[in-house]
Amino acid sequence: MQITSAQNSKLKLVKRLRSKRGREAEARFVIDSQRDLRRALDCGYRVDFLLRCRELDELGDLGCEILEVSPQLLQKVSYRDNPDGMVAVLRSQLPKGRLWLEGAEIDSALLLVGLHVPGNIGALLRSADASGCDAALLVDCALDLYNPNIIRNSTGACFLDNIYQLNVGEALEYLGSAGLEIVAADVAGSSLYDESFAARTALVLGAEDRGLSGDWLANAHRRIRIPMAGRAADSLNVSVSGAILMFELQRQRHHNR
């Protein structure tokens, strides 16, 4: 089927899905990258319909309605400046909360507390997967996992089935019951490279502008920082800091087995 009008209902739906409110109301979200679409499909997501302005043989049979549009119309509804020849609308999955953690085998976890920049969340989910973290817990996070910048910066890691969304009370209760050592990132903590970490750890990161609250610092078994040697730079972006911390914790975890 060919769509030629910007007033088409499918195109209007795609525009609505740019916002969190629209995504929650429709229980759908948008992907405009073939790479991210393949990874969503690998994680069990289903495509509702797909808009394309050229042939996409490399995606195979998607089992959904495929609609032809002009490059100009595709650009109007795409979130990114240079869409990858397609825009796909997929069905959302319900977020996993505290109950989903029952029985989960988690020896290493990343907790993101109150983060509000989608690009940072996406990049940290990507690093969590790359470093081998068993789970990522989003704590008191107002963003949804289907934010386009989370999808893009996670390179598809946001579609994995080991991501959970909790409030602070649920997160602290879970960590206590699971017996994970709480390692909090804190500028007043000890040097990362002076510490030896337990085999089962939960790394906790706060937002760049606020850090972690007193509750988290009080409940932490360790508070660590990355030593800075710069003359002007006295800190790192949270996504960069988190990657360094995760890979060091995982290095020690595997080295000490």
Side-chain angles (χ1 to χ4, degrees):
M1 176 180 173
Q2 180 85 27
I3 294 178
T4 58
S5 170
Q7 301 307 310
N8 180 273
S9 60
K10 290 283 201 303
L11 298 186
K12 289 183 175 181
L13 171 60
V14 173
K15 286 185 177 181
R16 289 199 300 275
L17 297 180
R18 291 179 178 181
S19 71
K20 178 183 178 182
R21 177 179 297 179
R23 291 190 293 272
E24 290 181 341
E26 301 290 345
R28 289 169 174 81
F29 66 98
V30 170
I31 292 178
D32 54 11
S33 158
Q34 294 185 50
R35 176 201 63 191
D36 295 341
L37 178 56
R38 285 192 294 270
R39 292 180 179 176
L41 294 172
D42 289 342
C43 292
Y45 282 81
R46 293 174 50 205
V47 181
D48 199 7
F49 65 88
L50 181 138
L51 308 174
R52 71 179 183 185
C53 63
R54 57 180 171 84
E55 289 295 327
L56 304 169
D57 294 336
E58 59 269 33
L59 289 175
D61 182 10
L62 298 175
C64 69
E65 183 181 15
I66 296 179
L67 305 165
E68 308 290 340
V69 297
S70 67
Q72 293 76 22
L73 281 178
L74 192 69
Q75 182 66 66
K76 285 184 178 181
V77 299
S78 177
Y79 186 82
R80 66 174 66 204
D81 292 334
N82 298 299
D84 197 10
M86 49 128 287
V87 169
V89 172
L90 291 83
R91 295 184 179 275
S92 307
Q93 295 182 4
L94 293 174
K96 293 184 175 181
R98 172 66 181 91
L99 290 178
W100 287 85
L101 286 164
E102 293 296 333
E105 297 182 3
I106 296 174
D107 290 327
S108 61
L110 170 68
L111 280 79
L112 306 179
V113 180
L115 267 65
H116 50 81
V117 178
N120 285 338
I121 295 173
L124 284 161
L125 293 176
R126 177 181 182 177
S127 294
D129 182 47
S131 66
C133 281
D134 295 323
L137 280 61
L138 306 184
V139 181
D140 290 342
C141 178
L143 298 172
D144 63 306
L145 280 174
Y146 304 118
N147 180 291
N149 284 324
I150 291 181
I151 294 174
R152 182 186 306 181
N153 285 276
S154 76
T155 66
C158 62
F159 302 128
L160 296 172
D161 63 359
N162 61 347
I163 301 173
Y164 306 86
Q165 299 184 48
L166 291 75
N167 61 42
V168 61
E170 292 171 331
L172 286 169
E173 182 275 325
Y174 166 71
L175 294 176
S177 65
L180 291 167
E181 180 182 64
I182 301 175
V183 178
D186 178 28
V187 294
S190 59
S191 171
L192 165 68
Y193 304 114
D194 292 336
E195 295 287 335
S196 295
F197 300 99
R200 303 184 68 245
T201 57
L203 173 64
V204 186
L205 304 175
E208 288 183 32
D209 54 349
R210 302 189 296 274
L212 291 169
S213 68
D215 285 343
W216 281 104
L217 296 178
N219 281 279
H221 299 98
R222 299 172 191 261
R223 294 158 60 179
I224 60 171
R225 61 178 172 83
I226 299 169
M228 296 285 123
R231 297 173 59 191
D234 60 357
S235 65
L236 297 172
N237 175 278
V238 66
S239 65
V240 176
S241 299
I244 293 171
L245 295 169
M246 278 185 275
F247 275 94
E248 174 59 18
L249 265 64
Q250 295 291 15
R251 184 194 68 80
Q252 290 196 24
R253 179 186 174 201
H254 293 290
H255 179 75
N256 295 332
R257 280 182 174 176

